[in-house]
């Protein structure tokens, strides 16, 4: 059994854009240091102040041990998100027999950093794009169909309401693409909803890539964006 992180598949962003354009639904979650710290039982909170709740740890580990067929993404091993925690992560993966086919999580940031998000935005605007995020993204210059508001911190505590609102969106609109920016709760929400609505919508974990476009420079790499307009 593969209990190491290797052979991360580096699908280009065009691969996912084509899926969106063709209405070929998929779901995509990203596993960075915060998700891993919580999964491993590290106490405290992530860099955005979201606490590592014991119940979230349990839910994240459920997602890691159930390969439902959606994309689980991780940064390349030389990236700071993963490189700095490998000494903890590899033993954790081995001891828990986590056996997944990983894809590269850095595709959205790479496009944002190089100012090449326009094709993705155009693709999202061609579908019923529903943003799942805190209200700061309501002013983003993207034509979105609807919005599911989440608390700015500790949104995991409101996950049942968020899930309910997302289900209602799939009943209200056809061809929904959810863009989730809901911290570590995103991984849990997508995993728990996938069996219910994964065949009739797309759910993508975009993390914080949109923040600079609404004037929020919360991560160090945000200052490296070539442009902050879409």
């Amino acid at each position: 059994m593969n209990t190491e992180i290797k052979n991360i598949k580096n699908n280009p962003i065009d691969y996912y854009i084509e899926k969106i354009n063709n209405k070929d639904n998929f779901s995509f979650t990203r596993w960075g240091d915060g998700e891993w710290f919580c999964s491993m039982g590290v106490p405290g909170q992530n860099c955005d102040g979201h606490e590592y709740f014991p119940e979230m740890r349990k839910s994240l580990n459920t997602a890691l041990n159930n390969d439902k067929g959606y994309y689980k993404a991780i940064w390349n091993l030389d990236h700071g998100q993963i490189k700095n925690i490998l000494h903890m992560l590899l033993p954790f993966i081995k001891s828990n027999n986590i056996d997944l086919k990983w894809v590269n999580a850095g595709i959205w940031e790479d496009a944002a950093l190089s100012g090449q998000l326009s094709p993705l935005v155009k693709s999202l605007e061609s579908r019923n794009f529903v943003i799942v995020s805190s209200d700061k993204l309501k002013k983003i210059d993207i034509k979105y169909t609807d919005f599911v508001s989440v608390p700015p911190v500790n949104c995991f505590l409101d996950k049942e309401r968020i899930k309910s609102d997302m289900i209602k969106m799939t009943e209200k609109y056809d061809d929904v693409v959810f863009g989730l920016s809901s911290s570590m709760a995103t991984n849990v929400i997508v995993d728990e909803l996938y069996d219910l609505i994964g065949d009739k919508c797309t759910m993508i974990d975009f993390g914080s890539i949109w923040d600079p476009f609404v004037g929020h420079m919360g991560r160090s790499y945000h200052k490296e964006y070539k442009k902050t307009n879409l």
Side-chain angles (χ1 to χ4, degrees), residues 7-13 16 28-31 71-79 82 101-110:
N7 300 323
I8 299 170
K9 191 170 184 181
N10 190 24
N11 294 323
I13 194 170
Y16 300 105
F28 182 106
T29 61
R30 306 188 308 164
W31 295 76
Y71 296 104
K72 290 189 176 75
I74 191 170
W75 279 260
N76 289 324
L77 303 191
D78 59 353
H79 190 282
I82 302 303
K101 295 178 180 178
W102 296 97
V103 297
N104 182 20
I107 53 169
W108 318 127
E109 279 89 354
D110 290 346

Side-chain angles (χ1 to χ4, degrees), residues 41-111:
V42 174
Q45 59 190 27
N46 73 357
C47 62
D48 298 316
H50 298 268
E51 292 183 44
Y52 298 146
F53 297 109
E55 185 63 28
M56 183 161 62
R57 176 192 180 189
K58 179 180 177 181
S59 298
L60 287 171
N61 282 308
T62 295
L64 286 170
N65 285 284
N66 284 331
D67 190 2
K68 297 183 178 182
Y70 64 86
Y71 296 104
K72 290 189 176 75
I74 191 170
W75 279 260
N76 289 324
L77 303 191
D78 59 353
H79 190 282
Q81 283 268 2
I82 302 303
K83 179 181 179 180
N84 297 332
I85 65 170
L86 272 179
H87 64 290
M88 300 171 60
L89 182 55
L90 292 182
F92 174 76
I93 287 175
K94 183 176 182 179
S95 63
N96 287 277
N97 293 318
I98 296 169
D99 184 21
L100 296 169
K101 295 178 180 178
W102 296 97
V103 297
N104 182 20
I107 53 169
W108 318 127
E109 279 89 354
D110 290 346

Side-chain angles (χ1 to χ4, degrees), residues 206-222:
F206 283 125
S208 62
I209 67 160
W210 307 116
D211 284 10
F213 302 106
V214 294
H216 185 73
M217 312 294 280
R219 303 291 177 91
S220 59
Y221 75 87
H222 287 157

Side-chain angles (χ1 to χ4, degrees), residues 119-138:
L120 174 64
V121 171
K122 182 178 179 181
S123 181
L124 294 171
E125 290 180 337
S126 73
R127 300 275 298 274
N128 281 316
F129 182 43
V130 177
I131 297 175
V132 184
S133 178
S134 63
D135 287 353
K136 67 185 177 186
L137 286 190
K138 283 186 173 181

